[in-house]
Amino acid sequence: MPSFDLLPGAEQSPVILHVPHSAREIPAEVRAGIVLDDPALERELDHIVDAHTAELAEEAAGLAGRAPWRFVNRLSRLVVDPERFPDEREEMLAVGMGAVYTRTTGREPLRPADTDPEPLVERWFRPYARAMTEAVAERLAAVGRAVVIDVHSYPSAPLPYELHGEGPRPAVCLGTDPFHTPPELVAAARQAFGEVGLDSPFSGTYVPLEFYGRDPRVSALMVEIRRDTYMTEPGGPAGPGLNRLARALAALVDAVD
């Protein structure tokens, strides 16, 4: 079974809502390589999972005037993180959080330090990357452009793994890329969400490597939502803020569509 779903939207929609970090599922063969006991693993998942973001994207898709496409990871980022560079370009390697994590959010061991990431990258990372590349290519073929809106959340207080946790932590942080995030996309997000911050505490956005820095028809924006605005931290239930955010995300979809 695939570890992700591409959920169809309107054929003429250029928008893909990308939800990479919402799941807690870890296959048994991957769990065997994680050194945490079960309670510690559940606590780590509470901190690392972007809880309820798949539901947020689903609700927003239903509210949008023209349904966007949705690409949703069904496995935990503790299996592989599909948004990391799979090589030395990834700055999070400094804290053991490249494409395959060896450290937790608290910088404690998650896997043995000598873990070979390649089997996990080959089994889970590359198929995901190929499928996301194909999804973007299909939008380009259908409508001549693609807009990837990356849906994330982050904790209200910084965790030890964060490399840039000392900066502002707004209710909504927009992650941008100098090549793929045009000013009008940022303006549309400001209009939809109201007060937002830019690139703090997290920056950048996801574009498949085949298009990254090469194809201006692919635009992208990361939407990082501070968790205390819509849920009980860490890992608790969603509250009424989720519905408000879904309406805002739908308004962004409508604006760029």
Side-chain angles (χ1 to χ4, degrees), residues 128-236:
Y128 189 107
R130 285 194 295 269
M132 188 63 184
T133 299
E134 291 167 4
V136 171
E138 288 170 2
R139 293 302 86 218
L140 292 175
V143 296
R145 65 189 181 105
V147 184
V148 179
I149 300 176
D150 221 15
V151 185
H152 290 261
S153 72
Y154 75 100
S156 56
L159 293 170
Y161 83 95
E162 295 182 26
L163 294 178
H164 310 289
E166 71 282 354
R169 303 180 82 82
V172 176
C173 162
L174 303 179
T176 67
D177 178 87
F179 186 90
H180 290 283
T181 310
E184 57 268 25
L185 183 52
V186 174
R190 289 187 185 277
Q191 181 68 29
F193 287 100
E195 186 175 350
V196 301
L198 290 181
D199 293 314
S200 176
F202 299 99
S203 63
T205 189
Y206 179 80
V207 175
L209 289 176
E210 182 171 319
F211 307 103
Y212 183 67
R214 302 175 184 178
D215 195 334
R217 297 176 301 163
V218 180
S219 55
L221 181 73
M222 180 169 66
V223 177
E224 287 269 8
I225 300 164
R226 205 179 66 222
R227 291 176 190 155
D228 63 338
T229 66
Y230 75 92
M231 64 173 283
T232 301
E233 296 183 271

Side-chain angles (χ1 to χ4, degrees), residues 24 26-28 30-46 78 110:
R24 298 175 72 98
I26 300 174
V30 179
R31 172 67 181 95
I34 292 174
V35 301
L36 302 180
D37 63 23
D38 287 347
L41 179 57
E42 288 303 308
R43 289 193 296 272
E44 179 64 11
L45 288 167
D46 285 344
L78 298 185
L110 178 75

